[in-house]
Amino acid sequence: EFVDSPFGIRVIRKSTGKVIWNSQAPGFTFTDRFIQMSVLLPSENIYGFGETEHDTFKQPWYVHILGVCAVYPQYRANAYGVHPYYMSVEDGANAHSVLLFNSNAMDIVLQPNPAVTYRTTGGILDFYFTLGPSPEEVTQQYTALIGRPAMPPYWSLGFQLCRYGYANDTEILNLYNDMKAAGVPYDTQYGDIDYMVRQLDFTLNKEKFGNFPNLIRHMHDEGMRIIIILDPAIAANETEPYPAYTRGVENDVYMKRPDGQIMFGKHYRAYAAMPDFFRERTARWWQREIEEFYRNPTTPTDSMEFDGLWIDMNEPASFVHGSTSGCEDKELNEPPYMPRAFELYFSSLANCHTSIPLDSQHRYTTTRSSQQVTTHSHMCGDNNQTYIQKILHRKSVQADETSHHKTMCMEALHELPDGSKVQHYNVHSLYGWSQTKPTLDALHNVTGKRGIVVTRSTFPGSGQWSGHWLGDNSARWDNLDKSIIGMMEFSLFGITYTGADICGFFGDSNYDLCARWMQLGAFYPYSRNHNGKGNIRQDPVAWDTAFAEMSKRVLEIRYSLLPYLYTLMHEAHAHGSTVVRPLLHEFLSDNETWAISKQFLWGPALLITPVLEEEKVTVRGYVPDARWYDYQTMKGAQLTERKEYKEMNAPWDTINLHVRGGYILPTQQPANTTKYSRQKPMSLLVAPDSSGTATGSLFWDDGDGI
């Protein structure tokens, strides 16, 4: 309903009379480069807003920075994706969700009123609501709006290995042979940028990876699959012919400066042009380059017959700020309001439990003073408004407080299918989204199979074409538990095929951490062990025989359960259900589940309780109100507790798994790859509830058809 005094919009749930959204809060501001709107919320139980790293699934009150300065995951910092979307659980245990469909940079401030303040650098206020009333129905309704999750091929649910820093194709072959010898299940091998010539898309380093195409064919013969990486940036200053770039120029596919010339960023050492994927001709050019790399027309033996594509650096990321020749429009690149500038301030307010006033109407001005950022001790108390003014009025601007930080100039032009032009300033957050569908279409057309695309940058709707890994994480215990939160949030965002880099990307992992991460990672929908250049190996056969045996056992459990996981993926694809499911989705009437961040479910029936702390051989887990069977033994109802926490035994090589009474899980004998496991006998794991009944379902097809 519309309310006149003060003016605002209220959304009321008819069944309860509860006001679930009320924009009558003061402070509304609307200009070309700054929009502010505050909304009173019905409860503090808020989930979503991404992509950021934080400690709990239920959101604490602090600022979320979206659509600026894409960086590897850091605490509370904007990462790669932009999802201005949240789900709220009302005090009466009904759920709803709200999407702000806006692709401009923004910050979103949760406050203990409870309230939320949106501040965007432009665009429009376009809100969408889903009313559930259950959390699972909220997600189903949301994915009906933005697009249902893609259906992954069966093989992509197998275990995967990747490393940035393979020296040559011999190292990959040796790893493959060692994994086979150890009997560790393993379906997919990656090629990171090492296979390329100087990080150039659609090139093959013949000196170090000349046998890679033959190795791919050999691995295919044995049931393996291959995924390779592609970055969007195309090198523009090669001294030798580089057809991908020259054909792009001929087909006019690149982002332009306002004067119509190509805008160049930097990719590693090369000047680089960024394809404009909003243009239909760019999709045709992209498909041709992918096709000729897959099926080399001049040297067929160099054909790279991949099965999936991994698109990285597509925020888009650049190794310079703006362009190699600078940016022209200061108001766009150093806008009057830059969300990044407030990150430290708002985070500090959260630390000192000071409420952010809803009526703080920040001045919309390009004037900045030379005042420096105050220390944390000066941020709490009566001088909050003074601090805001110091931030807003600074004359000096740090690089990471600009909108072109590590990306293209904001005045760069894109061309929409109808021929109209739009500035990068307004669609920066859509770049990865715009690349994803053309990549999946090309993969389908080239391979004739379903395949999989995994993307770094996401936006609402990306899940209908791709999966997502949680970025360049670190080999630290706190990154292990945060991966659960990330997966559950992307379940809400409609991207079901997710997971983190098992054992961590940055830094050297260690035995205990990597063992626990292999156990948790065996239950990521997207289960990939991956790490960075210069770090020690961390694959299952890099440690010792005991580690390899542990990895084999836990992955055999995963492979046994793949028919159940594949069925969940189909239910998500067809109906929008979650795969990695927060406990509150199944036990909403138990408000203890509303804050659980360190356990999760596969669908409704499998409870996963991993060890997430160093040197622990027990784990404290919550037991929801149901009958639970220990998956490892399946001997009777092993958990007698209900609606309480339990200390569970968890030796170094064990993860706690419990099957919920009332469900039937389809299973299959495991094998080294899904090609062979799919030929093994299937069975049904029946877990009766207290009344002696159980139900289940199975979806089965060829596993890779389009």
Side-chain angles (χ1 to χ4, degrees):
E1 66 179 18
F2 291 94
V3 183
D4 291 330
S5 182
F7 174 77
I9 300 171
R10 298 198 305 173
V11 178
I12 303 170
R13 187 182 291 277
K14 289 183 177 180
S15 62
T16 63
K18 184 80 170 179
V19 177
I20 63 172
W21 198 84
N22 183 357
S23 70
Q24 288 181 280
F28 179 72
T29 307
F30 195 103
T31 69
D32 286 343
R33 299 277 183 258
F34 178 71
I35 303 173
Q36 175 177 272
M37 182 178 187
S38 295
V39 177
L40 300 174
L41 302 177
S43 83
E44 296 181 353
N45 305 308
I46 302 296
Y47 310 85
F49 289 135
E51 180 178 8
T52 61
E53 181 187 274
H54 44 92
D55 292 328
T56 58
F57 180 48
K58 178 183 172 183
Q59 289 285 5
W61 65 274
Y62 64 83
V63 64
H64 295 263
I65 312 293
L66 305 183
V68 298
C69 186
V71 296
Y72 63 90
Q74 300 175 38
Y75 185 58
R76 295 186 177 181
N78 178 219
Y80 315 105
V82 174
H83 295 271
Y85 171 81
Y86 72 86
M87 180 182 75
S88 173
V89 176
E90 303 154 31
D91 293 337
N94 289 318
H96 69 273
S97 72
V98 180
L99 167 68
L100 171 57
F101 197 52
N102 181 305
S103 59
N104 286 78
M106 68 179 73
D107 59 47
I108 300 171
V109 187
L110 284 173
Q111 302 161 56
N113 299 77
V116 60
T117 296
Y118 298 91
R119 298 186 182 94
T120 83
T121 60
I124 60 174
L125 297 175
D126 191 9
F127 289 97
Y128 293 82
F129 297 81
T130 69
L131 297 177
S134 73
E136 197 65 11
E137 288 171 316
V138 163
T139 304
Q140 292 167 357
Q141 293 158 6
Y142 181 59
T143 56
L145 173 68
I146 65 170
R148 300 291 199 202
M151 181 66 187
Y154 196 92
W155 59 262
S156 71
L157 302 182
F159 182 61
Q160 307 180 26
L161 281 179
C162 183
R163 177 173 170 82
Y164 171 33
Y166 288 127
N168 48 48
D169 50 40
T170 301
E171 183 177 353
I172 296 176
L173 175 60
N174 291 338
L175 171 62
Y176 173 54
N177 288 334
D178 289 346
M179 289 286 285
K180 283 198 302 181
V184 180
Y186 158 50
D187 259 80
T188 302
Q189 177 61 52
Y190 277 71
D192 207 324
I193 57 175
D194 314 296
Y195 77 80
M196 302 176 181
V197 177
R198 296 189 308 280
Q199 299 89 35
L200 303 178
D201 279 355
F202 312 115
T203 64
L204 178 65
N205 185 330
K206 299 293 288 291
E207 179 182 348
K208 296 181 178 180
F209 289 84
N211 195 50
F212 197 21
N214 290 329
L215 177 56
I216 291 173
R217 286 185 279 273
H218 169 66
M219 295 173 80
H220 277 164
D221 289 342
E222 298 191 351
M224 290 287 293
R225 306 289 179 147
I226 301 294
I227 294 177
I228 63 167
I229 191 171
L230 291 174
D231 293 330
I234 303 296
N237 60 343
E238 288 298 299
T239 57
E240 298 293 328
Y242 183 35
Y245 174 70
T246 55
R247 287 196 290 243
V249 173
E250 293 165 1
N251 288 276
D252 189 22
V253 306
Y254 298 120
M255 291 169 58
K256 299 289 186 64
R257 305 186 73 90
D259 63 6
Q261 299 300 308
I262 296 172
M263 179 176 286
F264 297 110
K266 196 171 184 182
H267 187 62
Y268 295 93
R269 294 181 298 274
Y271 281 27
M274 294 291 181
D276 177 8
F277 289 100
F278 287 103
R279 308 180 191 186
E280 293 179 356
R281 58 183 176 273
T282 304
R284 294 192 293 270
W285 161 82
W286 187 241
Q287 178 171 318
R288 176 182 175 176
E289 301 307 324
I290 290 173
E291 182 171 6
E292 293 200 0
F293 198 50
Y294 180 86
R295 193 177 292 109
N296 193 308
T298 57
T299 312
T301 55
D302 288 345
S303 297
M304 293 281 286
E305 297 174 357
F306 46 81
D307 303 280
L309 291 170
W310 167 27
I311 48 178
D312 195 5
M313 309 285 283
N314 57 348
E315 290 75 32
S318 176
F319 286 62
V320 295
H321 305 311
S323 81
T324 55
S325 57
C327 301
E328 301 172 7
D329 193 323
K330 185 172 182 178
E331 185 177 358
L332 293 179
N333 294 289
E334 298 178 14
Y337 182 82
M338 189 61 209
R340 175 80 179 182
F342 288 88
E343 180 177 3
L344 181 62
Y345 169 67
F346 286 127
S347 297
S348 299
L349 285 185
N351 291 335
C352 66
H353 308 290
T354 302
S355 180
I356 301 166
L358 288 173
D359 60 351
S360 57
Q361 298 191 37
H362 305 324
R363 291 179 60 187
Y364 184 78
T365 174
T366 58
T367 304
R368 302 174 190 257
S369 77
S370 59
Q371 296 285 353
Q372 298 298 310
V373 177
T374 57
T375 62
H376 283 211
S377 62
H378 294 143
M379 291 181 184
C380 304
D382 295 333
N383 63 339
N384 292 338
Q385 291 297 323
T386 301
Y387 179 77
I388 291 173
Q389 296 303 319
K390 288 179 180 180
I391 288 286
L392 279 170
H393 296 168
R394 282 178 300 165
K395 291 179 181 177
S396 59
V397 181
Q398 301 299 315
D400 62 354
E401 295 171 6
T402 63
S403 55
H404 64 295
H405 178 72
K406 295 295 181 69
T407 191
M408 305 300 282
C409 297
M410 293 295 108
E411 69 266 19
L413 294 177
H414 297 265
E415 181 182 314
L416 301 181
D418 64 2
S420 60
K421 301 293 196 299
V422 59
Q423 292 173 324
H424 190 66
Y425 180 89
N426 292 308
V427 296
H428 171 77
S429 299
L430 293 172
Y431 190 88
W433 174 90
S434 71
Q435 184 192 15
T436 306
K437 185 178 186 300
T439 303
L440 182 62
D441 289 343
L443 183 65
H444 286 169
N445 291 331
V446 167
T447 67
K449 299 292 186 180
R450 191 182 311 164
I452 190 73
V453 171
V454 181
T455 181
R456 189 166 87 166
S457 179
T458 61
F459 191 79
S462 292
Q464 61 192 310
W465 307 304
S466 71
H468 171 68
W469 89 105
L470 298 176
D472 297 339
N473 61 358
S474 296
R476 302 199 316 259
W477 286 94
D478 68 314
N479 276 212
L480 174 64
D481 61 18
K482 288 185 177 73
S483 69
I484 298 174
I485 299 168
M487 287 192 300
M488 292 194 295
E489 287 184 340
F490 273 90
S491 289
L492 302 186
F493 300 154
I495 302 178
T496 55
Y497 188 71
T498 57
D501 286 346
I502 295 171
C503 299
F505 179 81
F506 285 120
D508 289 339
S509 196
N510 63 63
Y511 195 98
D512 188 23
L513 172 62
C514 197
R516 293 305 190 184
W517 216 323
M518 280 296 301
Q519 293 158 22
L520 172 59
F523 297 92
Y524 293 164
Y526 175 33
S527 182
R528 180 182 71 161
N529 183 309
H530 176 45
N531 73 327
K533 194 171 186 177
N535 302 318
I536 64 171
R537 278 180 53 186
Q538 59 187 36
D539 51 80
V541 292
W543 303 94
D544 60 15
T545 302
F547 192 102
E549 282 297 319
M550 178 277 298
S551 300
K552 177 182 178 181
R553 286 195 300 274
V554 72
L555 288 172
E556 285 180 342
I557 294 174
R558 176 188 179 87
Y559 276 60
S560 297
L561 290 167
L562 286 186
Y564 174 60
L565 179 59
Y566 193 62
T567 300
L568 293 176
M569 286 290 180
H570 181 261
E571 290 174 357
H573 176 64
H575 308 295
S577 305
T578 57
V579 175
V580 168
R581 190 167 297 178
L583 271 64
L584 70 89
H585 280 230
E586 290 294 319
F587 301 96
L588 185 61
S589 62
D590 179 1
N591 59 13
E592 186 65 34
T593 66
W594 297 5
I596 289 178
S597 302
K598 297 185 178 183
Q599 294 171 275
F600 62 99
L601 295 156
W602 264 12
L606 183 68
L607 176 63
I608 297 139
T609 308
V611 173
L612 303 170
E613 297 178 76
E614 190 172 5
E615 297 180 351
K616 295 289 187 180
V617 291
T618 63
V619 59
R620 184 171 183 261
Y622 189 70
V623 183
D625 190 14
R627 173 178 285 190
W628 296 98
Y629 298 84
D630 186 334
Y631 177 85
Q632 312 281 3
T633 63
M634 286 305 293
K635 293 180 180 179
Q638 296 295 303
L639 296 182
T640 57
E641 295 84 357
R642 297 282 183 97
K643 300 181 70 174
E644 61 182 275
Y645 286 91
K646 175 180 174 62
E647 199 72 22
M648 305 176 190
N649 289 326
W652 81 270
D653 59 351
T654 302
I655 184 171
N656 274 272
L657 305 171
H658 291 91
V659 180
R660 183 179 177 184
Y663 289 90
I664 301 172
L665 277 59
T667 65
Q668 192 165 32
Q669 289 183 17
N672 276 16
T673 71
T674 56
K675 175 181 179 179
Y676 299 109
S677 70
R678 283 175 60 89
Q679 301 171 29
K680 296 276 190 175
M682 300 185 75
S683 60
L684 298 176
L685 193 162
V686 181
D689 60 16
S690 56
S691 66
T693 63
T695 61
S697 62
L698 170 67
F699 175 81
W700 199 252
D701 63 2
D702 66 2
D704 202 17
I706 298 175

